[in-house]
Amino acid sequence: MCRHLGHVGPRPVTLASRVTEPEHSLLVQSYAPADMRGGGTVNADGFGVGWYSDTGPHSYRSPVPMWTDGSFLDLATAISSPAFVAAVRSATVGMPVSTGACAPFRDADRVFSHNGVVRGWPGSLRDLAAELDPEALMTLEAPTDSAVLWALVRRRLDAGKDPADAVADVVTRTLAAAPGSRLNLMLLTGGPAGEPVLVATAVHHALSWVVDDEGVTVASEPLDDRPWTPVADHHLVVTRDAAAVEVTAL
Ligand code: GLN
């Protein structure tokens, strides 16, 4: 199952500092993950990064293994950002391998990733997806469970819901409709004063976080041998000030 990470800090750091350089970076997790649960051995079906910058959010996604994209590995050392989400993908059986299916998804000011699977998809999400307007369904970037979850989260954010509440609501309703789903969601968005807010859930998948003077990093697997804090299953973490996380039960 895919791996992802999010970082929010007081000042920009290179994408490489979290994505490609640490001893157990996301790059390493793409070919040698340590804690895959629920199947899959490598995360070779694409990757992506979405990052904030002075010119707004940007993203780079590709349906190839991260380790084969030398241009990205180089760019990651040159791009600095105070807030980003990155993901490597192991496509769920039956779902396409394409750029549009790679997390993170992004719109004008938000970045979203899903690590896991919705059980019984697509039938199990029929009722929940019915709340989406047809245009949102017709413009999904890919016919995948993750793309539908992203549309459901966006709808709640567009309605003015707090980011943590929006993510928690989608997780809770999806679990009710599709029990046993693996729902590690990650959302980067702007808070009330425009500051970046990072929300992540642990539902049947690994997740840990660490804080240092460069900010808060949340990742599927610890990137190094520092004392990362594991997030208990069925919990949500949110960082609103880039210096600490709040953990709540879902
Ligand atoms: N189900 C999602 C997809 O296929 C996420 C896959 C995963 O976490 N392994 O894109």
Side-chain angles (χ1 to χ4, degrees):
M1 290 290 161
C2 316
R3 310 278 77 182
H4 60 198
L5 67 77
H7 176 81
V8 177
R11 60 188 171 276
V13 296
T14 63
L15 301 182
S17 70
R18 302 300 185 279
V19 179
T20 62
E21 287 171 351
E23 64 207 66
H24 194 60
S25 66
L26 203 64
L27 171 64
V28 174
Q29 292 177 42
S30 70
Y31 55 80
D35 192 6
M36 294 282 270
R37 303 176 191 179
T41 50
V42 292
N43 297 292
D45 297 322
F47 70 95
V49 188
W51 66 95
Y52 282 6
S53 79
D54 292 343
T55 51
H58 297 278
S59 59
Y60 183 100
R61 296 185 296 170
S62 175
V64 302
M66 185 188 280
W67 68 84
T68 67
D69 189 339
S71 299
F72 170 74
L73 300 179
D74 185 35
L75 281 178
T77 66
I79 297 170
S80 293
S81 167
F84 52 90
V85 169
V88 290
R89 179 167 184 244
S90 168
T92 297
V93 173
M95 296 189 190
V97 175
S98 64
T99 301
C102 290
F105 303 88
R106 136 176 126 70
D107 64 11
D109 52 6
R110 309 160 182 141
V111 181
F112 174 83
S113 174
H114 165 226
N115 167 202
V117 62
V118 173
R119 297 291 178 213
W121 185 89
S124 58
L125 277 192
R126 183 189 304 269
D127 289 348
L128 203 47
E131 72 174 47
L132 297 170
D133 75 62
E135 203 171 307
L137 282 171
M138 288 188 291
T139 55
L140 287 179
E141 283 192 84
T144 63
D145 51 359
S146 307
V148 176
L149 294 173
W150 166 224
L152 292 168
V153 169
R154 277 177 80 176
R155 184 168 185 272
R156 284 155 179 73
L157 296 170
D158 289 343
K161 227 177 171 49
D162 172 80
D165 294 344
V167 170
D169 189 54
V170 169
V171 168
T172 308
R173 284 169 189 260
T174 303
L175 279 176
S181 294
R182 296 179 182 273
L183 297 174
N184 279 34
L185 273 47
M186 189 173 279
L187 171 71
L188 176 63
T189 185
E195 74 287 7
V197 174
L198 182 69
V199 181
T201 58
V203 177
H204 297 147
H205 263 311
L207 191 72
S208 299
W209 55 272
V210 71
V211 183
D212 61 23
D213 59 9
E214 289 186 333
V216 174
T217 307
V218 182
S220 301
E221 299 180 9
L223 305 180
D224 49 39
D225 57 9
R226 288 180 298 160
W228 289 65
T229 304
V231 180
D233 200 35
H234 284 80
H235 278 70
L236 176 147
V237 297
V238 54
T239 174
R240 297 177 193 274
D241 62 3
V245 300
E246 300 158 35
V247 184
T248 51
L250 281 162

